[in-house]
Amino acid sequence: MNVLVIEGSRRPRSDSGAIARDLRARLEATGQTVELRRVPKWGAGREATDAALARLAAADSVVLVAPSYLDELPAVT
Amino acid sequence: MTGKALLLTALALNGDEGERIEAAPLEGLARRGYDVEAVDCRDVDIVPCTGCGSCGLRTPGACAVKDGMQAVFRSLVASDLLVLATPVRFGSYCAELKKVVDRFQPLMVPLYVVRRGEMHFRGRYDFPALLGVGMSADPAETEAFRHLVGRLAVNVDARHAVATFTGGAEAADEEAATEAVEGALAALEPAPGRSAGGPS
C-alpha cells in the first residue's frame, strides 16, 4: 500500500515532524511504501498544487500530521 | 450591542462569490449601526504562524514576525465585534482567513485556565464578541463551520454567534443572507457582558 504522510507544521524540528518520521518508520517496517512530505515545502501556485494533487491521487492512504491551531489544522495544512 | 466591528474576509478568487460573502455582513452590520473596518486578508502581507512560541515567553504579547498582522492586532483589540466572513471550505474558513486566525496566539497569555472543563490559554485582552459568517450550500459543511466557530470562541473566551447562507445570487437570497447576519447580531446583543455570558 502506498501511504502519503503529510507533515503540516512550519516549525523546524517540529513535534509533528517527529511523529511523522516515527510513523513512516513503523509503516515501512510493516512493508508499506511511505512518502513523507512537508506541506510548506510543497510550494504554492498552480504547478505545485497540481503536483500535490497528483501525489494525493496516487496514494492509497493519506495521513495528516499537524499541530492543532485553535482546534483545527493550521492554514498551511 | 453596537460599536466598532472588525470584518475580516478572505474573498475567493471568484469575484461574484467574494462580493456575496462580503455584502451580507456589511449590510447587516450597517443596519445594526456598527462602525465597520473591513480587511480582506488576501490584500494584507501575512505569513503563516510558525509556532515559535516567542509571543508567549520571549516577547510576551508581541509576535516575532513583523508583517501585516500588527495592524490587525491593533484593530482587533480595539473592536467590540470581530466578524469572520468566508466561503466555507471543507467546513472551515478559507485558508487565507485561517492563516490570520492561526496568528491569534499573541492575544493569549501562556497560562492555562479551565473553561467548560477544558484547559485553555487565558486571554491577554478582552476578546471582542465573535461572529462567524459562512457561505455554503452544503448542510454538512455548514454544520462543521458552526462547530468550528464555536470552538474558536471557547479558545479565545468570546461570546459568539454564527450566520450562514447559501450564497444564491437572487435578490431574495441576498436579503436572506443579510437577515441571517442581522439575526446572529441580535443573538449577541442581549448578553450583558463577558463576565455574565462567557462563550455561548
Side-chain angles (χ1 to χ4, degrees):
Chain A
M1 191 163 79
N2 294 314
V3 181
L4 176 61
V5 178
I6 299 173
E7 178 200 343
S9 174
R10 293 190 71 233
R11 187 158 58 91
R13 300 185 298 281
S14 70
D15 297 332
S16 299
I19 294 169
R21 288 189 295 276
D22 181 68
L23 179 63
R24 176 177 60 184
R26 289 169 184 257
L27 289 171
E28 286 178 341
T30 66
Q32 316 296 325
T33 301
V34 182
E35 180 184 9
L36 173 58
R37 298 287 296 187
R38 198 167 182 215
V39 164
K41 292 186 176 176
W42 239 327
R46 172 51 57 190
E47 195 172 321
T49 301
D50 287 345
L53 291 175
R55 290 177 185 277
L56 286 166
D60 299 305
S61 183
V62 177
V63 181
L64 297 175
V65 185
S68 173
Y69 279 12
L70 298 163
D71 288 357
E72 266 193 279
L73 294 170
V76 294
T77 311
Chain B
M1 182 187 78
T2 57
K4 186 183 175 198
L6 174 62
L7 169 61
L8 297 180
T9 62
L11 306 186
L13 295 174
N14 181 322
D16 289 345
E17 186 182 43
E19 288 177 10
R20 288 200 296 279
I21 188 62
E22 189 176 46
L26 281 176
E27 178 62 22
L29 290 163
R31 289 183 187 179
R32 306 298 292 193
Y34 279 91
D35 175 19
V36 181
E37 177 186 359
V39 176
D40 185 341
C41 299
R42 296 181 64 239
D43 293 335
V44 185
D45 178 28
I46 296 174
V47 302
C49 178
T50 60
C52 70
S54 180
C55 59
L57 297 172
R58 286 191 293 277
T59 57
C63 184
V65 180
K66 303 305 178 192
D67 59 7
M69 225 18 232
Q70 274 62 48
V72 174
F73 284 138
R74 283 192 290 273
S75 294
L76 194 154
V77 298
S79 296
D80 303 294
L81 175 70
L82 171 64
V83 184
L84 303 175
T86 176
V88 180
R89 299 284 188 249
F90 298 103
S92 184
Y93 321 94
C94 269
E96 291 295 318
L97 181 56
K98 181 59 167 53
K99 189 169 68 175
V100 173
V101 173
D102 286 351
R103 295 279 300 275
F104 282 177
Q105 190 62 35
L107 302 173
M108 314 304 286
V109 175
L111 297 173
Y112 285 104
V113 295
V114 176
R115 282 197 291 275
R116 302 174 64 175
E118 304 169 0
M119 288 179 67
H120 291 283
F121 289 120
R122 195 179 77 197
R124 190 177 296 277
Y125 310 97
D126 280 345
F127 205 89
L130 175 65
L131 172 64
V133 179
M135 185 171 76
S136 172
D138 185 309
E141 272 200 339
T142 299
E143 187 58 32
F145 178 73
R146 287 181 174 277
H147 178 72
L148 283 173
V149 174
R151 292 304 305 169
L152 175 60
V154 172
N155 274 280
V156 299
D157 194 19
R159 292 182 297 110
H160 85 283
V162 181
T164 57
F165 53 93
T166 58
E170 302 297 324
D173 298 320
E174 294 174 1
E175 180 56 27
T178 301
E179 288 178 357
V181 172
E182 270 198 287
L185 288 170
L188 282 172
E189 288 177 359
R194 290 163 52 83
S195 59
S200 57

